[in-house]
Amino acid sequence: MGRAVRAGLILAVCVAALGGCKDRTPKTRDERAADALARVDQIAAVMPEIRRLSLDRPIPSSRQSGAEFRTAVRGSIAEQPHLDHKQIALQSLGLIDPTTDLARSIENVYASQAAAYYDPRTKKFSLVMAPENELVFDSITAHELTHGLQDQHFDLKTYLEGTRAAPLNADEQIARRFVVEGDAMFASIVYIAYTKTNQKELTGEQVKIARRELAKLDSLDGPTLAIALKQQMSTAKIVDTEIQHAIDAMPTIPAAILEPFLLPYMKGSSLIAEAYDGGGWDAVNRLYANPPRSTAQVLHAGEQLFKDRHDPRVIAMPGHEEHVESLEEDVLGELMWDIYFRRWKHTGEAHPERGWAGDRYAVWRDEKGKILVLVSTAWSSEYQAKAFYDAYVSTLEARYPDRAPGEGEQVRERIWVRQVRDRVFIVDGSATNFLYDVERAATP
């Protein structure tokens, strides 16, 4: 389901916050589902006017059970190449525990958001749950139909993944999800306003109100949002029982897996509201023509995306020997470094991940099965690089209590860290100093 755009039950939390989860109908689940599907065409007729994108072809809709959805999710996860390598990489980078089951965690994240979804591969809209409140479901329908409009105009699969010749790195993919999910979320909010006012766009004052309310939700981090979502779903009773155990598992899912899925809804909607406030839907559409290239840009859009665009530096990694297997090479980005530092309770600057200007990591495995991690980072200033260096070194005692402290660039047994002006290089898992190889590869 990685290539499908999933509906967020987070949207239901937003609707609940606006007072939309109060009145429940006494109908059965099947009756509610049938009624909800019957309203899809009505909502599809108005969303092109609200989102200012034409509906060039109809979007088919159908019902899917929670069990069928979970089966589809498992099949999609099984198709992902080298998920075991990704799990080793996340563990070796200190982002998840060795006991974490990556595939199961991803499955629970997907399933917990399965109110309904639009799939860019099949071009279809599927209803998975049947909320007791009509406004909740209609808002989710508006959200998913917006994905359909996005797909018809901007080719979601390519936008979210890149092409075979030019695939997106992990940080870029997350950043673009902020645009896609934030756009659909904001369009749903406009739809909610439309049901009350019959107006298909927000006025200046209404945008300010929306931005103020979204800022409250935007302030929640991933774990807090997960707990709020679980509590809201239990209180509102708007999810099917097939999905409930996935929601129950959300607070236990590692932040490195959970937050890249949840935050694009809340923080993404604030991003889109800011763009809309500055130039309407035309400004939003420009985020598809000229997408953000990092989570740093979408997390600090006012400074790094809209006012003065700060694109990340492109960083290369050294090649590996023939007897060494490359498991994973990618970009972490500001969001993942933020998660790392929150997890390991660093000392020093409050947010050492800010000032991020680029990074790249590589995870290798030698013929004896030992793991080597290489990380190359760039920062906006030497001061920011030093803040990152100090914070990272301060986390190593908690991460590796069994490794003896080192001296100089070998800050701990088998861990090397070197700062060179606005750059910081890390080698984790080697008795030999590879830092200069990493530095030479990263320097044009």
Side-chain angles (χ1 to χ4, degrees):
M1 198 65 56
R3 287 168 289 180
V5 179
R6 295 151 302 282
L9 285 177
I10 303 166
L11 180 60
V13 173
C14 181
V15 177
L18 298 174
C21 289
K22 295 179 181 179
D23 299 323
R24 300 171 187 163
T25 64
K27 297 179 180 179
T28 67
R29 179 183 301 169
D30 288 342
E31 289 174 334
R32 297 198 309 272
D35 288 348
L37 285 172
R39 295 194 301 273
V40 170
D41 288 344
Q42 178 183 347
I43 299 169
V46 73
M47 287 311 297
E49 296 182 67
I50 288 176
R51 180 53 186 86
R52 296 292 190 268
L53 291 173
S54 62
L55 181 64
D56 296 335
R57 55 187 177 276
I59 300 173
S61 60
S62 62
R63 177 87 184 276
Q64 188 177 61
S65 72
E68 289 171 333
F69 178 76
R70 290 201 72 133
T71 298
V73 166
R74 292 188 188 107
S76 180
I77 292 172
E79 293 175 1
Q80 296 186 25
H82 302 300
L83 198 60
D84 57 333
H85 290 182
K86 172 68 75 174
Q87 177 156 335
I88 292 171
L90 292 176
Q91 292 169 356
S92 302
L93 289 161
L95 288 164
I96 64 174
D97 291 329
T99 57
T100 298
D101 184 329
L102 181 59
R104 177 58 62 86
S105 295
I106 293 174
E107 178 186 331
N108 282 331
V109 171
Y110 285 174
S112 68
Q113 298 182 64
Y117 67 96
Y118 171 81
D119 190 338
R121 295 172 299 178
T122 63
K123 314 299 182 185
K124 295 179 179 179
F125 166 81
S126 297
L127 163 66
V128 180
M129 75 170 203
E132 296 182 2
N133 180 274
E134 290 186 358
L135 180 58
V136 169
F137 181 78
D138 289 352
S139 301
I140 293 171
T141 299
H143 182 110
E144 293 310 306
L145 291 176
T146 300
H147 285 320
L149 294 171
Q150 294 166 343
D151 191 30
Q152 291 186 12
H153 288 265
F154 308 121
D155 183 4
L156 281 184
K157 183 179 183 300
T158 300
Y159 184 81
L160 290 170
E161 299 176 14
T163 64
R164 180 173 296 182
L168 302 180
N169 66 54
D171 193 48
E172 285 180 297
Q173 289 182 11
I174 297 170
R176 292 191 183 197
R177 286 196 73 242
F178 273 70
V179 174
V180 170
E181 296 299 348
D183 177 0
M185 189 80 161
F186 189 74
S188 300
I189 292 170
V190 179
Y191 173 80
I192 294 172
Y194 162 75
T195 64
K196 300 176 182 299
T197 66
N198 206 35
Q199 296 179 353
K200 298 184 177 70
E201 60 183 349
L202 299 184
T203 64
E205 184 60 30
Q206 290 171 328
V207 175
K208 289 182 174 59
I209 294 172
R211 291 188 64 179
R212 185 168 62 246
E213 293 304 310
L214 287 171
K216 298 176 183 177
L217 298 173
D218 186 23
S219 65
L220 301 178
D221 60 19
T224 304
L225 189 58
I227 293 171
L229 176 60
K230 178 182 176 181
Q231 292 174 339
Q232 183 63 55
M233 294 306 102
S234 298
T235 301
K237 298 179 180 180
I238 61 174
V239 295
D240 291 347
T241 55
E242 295 93 340
I243 306 302
Q244 187 62 52
H245 70 283
I247 293 175
D248 292 341
M250 286 181 69
T252 67
I253 297 172
I257 302 171
L258 181 68
E259 294 194 23
F261 287 95
L262 295 194
L263 296 186
Y265 291 88
M266 291 299 119
K267 294 184 183 296
S269 56
S270 288
L271 165 76
I272 297 302
E274 185 172 356
Y276 184 92
D277 198 12
W281 288 115
D282 287 343
V284 175
N285 292 344
R286 286 195 288 272
L287 293 173
Y288 293 90
N290 189 17
R293 293 188 54 206
S294 71
T295 54
Q297 289 178 322
V298 294
L299 291 171
H300 314 289
E303 298 174 357
Q304 296 195 28
L305 189 61
F306 297 133
K307 182 179 179 181
D308 184 16
R309 189 178 177 108
H310 294 190
D311 284 337
R313 299 188 213 176
V314 177
I315 298 174
M317 298 300 294
H320 58 282
E321 302 294 334
E322 292 183 1
H323 66 281
V324 175
E325 179 185 12
S326 176
L327 299 182
E328 182 90 351
E329 184 174 324
D330 215 324
V331 174
L332 284 172
E334 181 176 326
L335 176 59
M336 283 300 186
W337 281 117
D338 176 36
I339 291 170
Y340 173 88
F341 284 120
R342 280 189 276 125
R343 182 172 190 232
W344 292 108
K345 307 296 190 297
H346 68 91
T347 59
E349 295 285 339
H351 292 284
E353 75 284 350
R354 294 184 183 174
W356 180 93
D359 75 50
R360 195 159 189 86
Y361 72 85
V363 179
W364 298 347
R365 179 168 58 192
D366 68 16
E367 55 192 359
K368 296 181 180 180
K370 293 183 178 179
I371 300 297
L372 176 66
V373 178
L374 310 178
V375 183
S376 177
T377 68
W379 301 89
S380 60
S381 68
E382 187 171 337
Y383 174 86
Q384 291 290 348
K386 183 63 165 59
F388 172 81
Y389 174 96
D390 290 342
Y392 183 82
V393 171
S394 77
T395 67
L396 297 177
E397 183 176 0
R399 282 185 63 192
Y400 300 112
D402 57 335
R403 295 193 193 181
E407 295 181 356
E409 292 178 341
Q410 188 175 14
V411 297
R412 209 161 187 86
E413 183 183 355
R414 299 177 63 81
I415 302 178
W416 308 76
V417 186
R418 169 179 167 85
Q419 180 187 355
V420 182
R421 295 181 294 278
D422 62 351
R423 307 297 300 273
V424 179
F425 309 101
I426 301 166
V427 174
D428 183 349
S430 175
T432 306
N433 190 343
F434 279 101
L435 288 170
Y436 295 96
D437 293 332
V438 180
E439 181 184 348
R440 279 195 295 269
T443 303

